[in-house]
Amino acid sequence: MRWFVALALLLLSQTPAGAAGFDPFTLADVEDRLGAEVPLDGAMMDARGQATTLRDLVDKPVLLAPVDYGCANICGVTLRGLLQAIEAMALEPGRDFEVVVLGIDPRDGIAAAAAERAAVFEGDVPEGIHFLTGHAAPVASAIGFRYAYDEATDQYAHAAAVAVLTPDGRLARWLYGYPFQASDLRLALVEAGDDRIGTLADRLWLLCYGYDPDLGAYTAAVGTALKAGGGLTVLALGGFVLVMLRRELGSSSGAHGSPRGGRPKEKPGSSSPKGGSPPEKRYSPGGGS
């Protein structure tokens, strides 16, 4: 959420008096550039020391978390919250999507990425989660992630947010923490994946939930739901009234004659209508009365 972004910047703004001119609220922010193309060919290194690029990883939806590996304030909490939300999802990293943790400090190398990975994971790192260093600035600029170096703290002021990328390398959504909601991550990944991941239920949820760029989260589309529900209610009432009218007309026809003007059927043994001849009385030969 936006309040969490503000809190992160507030923590980063607690600098000595000598840095009074540094204002993280104007220098660091997230600008929504939904649909922007991400440069994928910049040289990167992962925490194992292997060269790679984003293009090598972006063949499915991606959760991209820009962080400062040397951050002592909020980055670690944000990253752990993201991974906890991922664990709560039915979607799996490596199979359904990729997670890229990207260091924004150009001074950070393989050792910093490896240290961050070790701090987050006690054992083996799950498949599909990558800690990278390298050409982060062009990527951050393309997706509207603004950050600035503060000499007083020797850190980068930046927002706490995660970008969701499509399989062809476009910005689909920004999600803000903390905490990240597993439902928001899942819906964002399903939407970014263009229905190639997730279930039918996920896609139905997307019809009822809308993305709020100010909150960086999915909220119930109450207005749409109410309109749809109101329309269904009107149709249901109309159908009910029509059925009742048809039943009433059918009941009236049975009591007063055929709707086509024909005479009603006479019951066996009934007398003839008023004004007609009485029924003829017959006697059997040699029989009594």
Side-chain angles (χ1 to χ4, degrees):
M1 295 182 180
R2 290 285 187 182
W3 65 265
F4 185 74
V5 175
L7 175 60
L9 294 176
L10 180 62
L11 290 173
L12 290 171
S13 68
Q14 305 306 305
T15 59
F22 185 85
D23 183 6
F25 292 96
T26 58
L27 298 175
D29 196 7
V30 174
E31 179 184 349
D32 287 323
R33 296 181 180 176
L34 304 184
E37 294 185 5
V38 180
L40 302 177
D41 296 317
M44 304 278 182
M45 298 289 288
D46 66 17
R48 298 171 296 178
Q50 296 182 353
T52 186
T53 66
L54 288 179
R55 189 175 299 280
D56 295 333
L57 306 175
V58 181
D59 60 348
K60 53 180 68 73
V62 173
L63 294 177
L64 175 65
V67 301
D68 181 358
Y69 289 137
C71 176
N73 289 314
I74 208 72
C75 284
V77 176
T78 302
L79 190 53
R80 287 175 178 82
L82 172 63
L83 296 175
Q84 288 173 359
I86 289 174
E87 289 179 358
M89 290 195 305
L91 301 178
E92 295 184 8
R95 184 193 68 184
D96 301 308
F97 63 97
E98 301 287 333
V99 179
V100 174
V101 182
L102 180 61
I104 59 175
D105 189 338
R107 301 170 300 178
D108 289 340
I110 299 171
E116 186 70 23
R117 185 181 67 166
V120 174
F121 295 101
E122 296 180 357
D124 295 335
V125 179
E127 191 72 21
I129 299 180
H130 315 273
F131 289 76
L132 305 183
T133 62
H135 289 76
V139 175
S141 177
I143 60 179
F145 187 81
R146 297 170 53 226
Y147 57 97
Y149 177 67
D150 182 4
E151 293 183 357
T153 61
D154 193 28
Q155 292 181 7
Y156 279 84
H158 62 90
V162 172
V164 184
L165 308 183
T166 63
D168 60 352
R170 291 177 293 105
L171 176 64
R173 293 285 179 256
W174 273 110
L175 300 176
Y176 306 115
Y178 173 85
F180 291 99
Q181 300 297 321
S183 58
D184 287 342
L185 294 180
R186 183 182 180 95
L187 289 176
L189 288 169
V190 170
E191 190 173 27
D194 196 22
D195 297 342
R196 284 182 285 181
I197 65 173
T199 63
L200 176 60
D202 293 326
R203 293 188 279 277
L204 291 176
W205 272 114
L206 283 173
L207 295 177
C208 297
Y209 275 71
Y211 174 74
D212 187 330
D214 292 327
L215 295 177
Y218 286 80
T219 58
V222 177
T224 302
L226 288 177
K227 289 179 182 178
L232 290 175
T233 301
V234 171
L235 289 176
L237 288 175
F240 175 76
V241 170
L242 180 61
V243 170
M244 294 305 295
L245 286 175
R246 294 190 64 174
R247 286 183 178 179
E248 183 68 22
L249 290 174
S251 203
S252 299
S253 298
H256 301 290
S258 169
R260 296 184 180 180
R263 295 176 57 188
K265 294 182 179 180
E266 297 183 7
K267 294 182 180 180
S270 62
S271 60
S272 63
K274 292 182 178 181
S277 302
E280 181 181 356
K281 187 173 182 179
R282 298 186 181 185
Y283 298 91
S284 57
S289 61

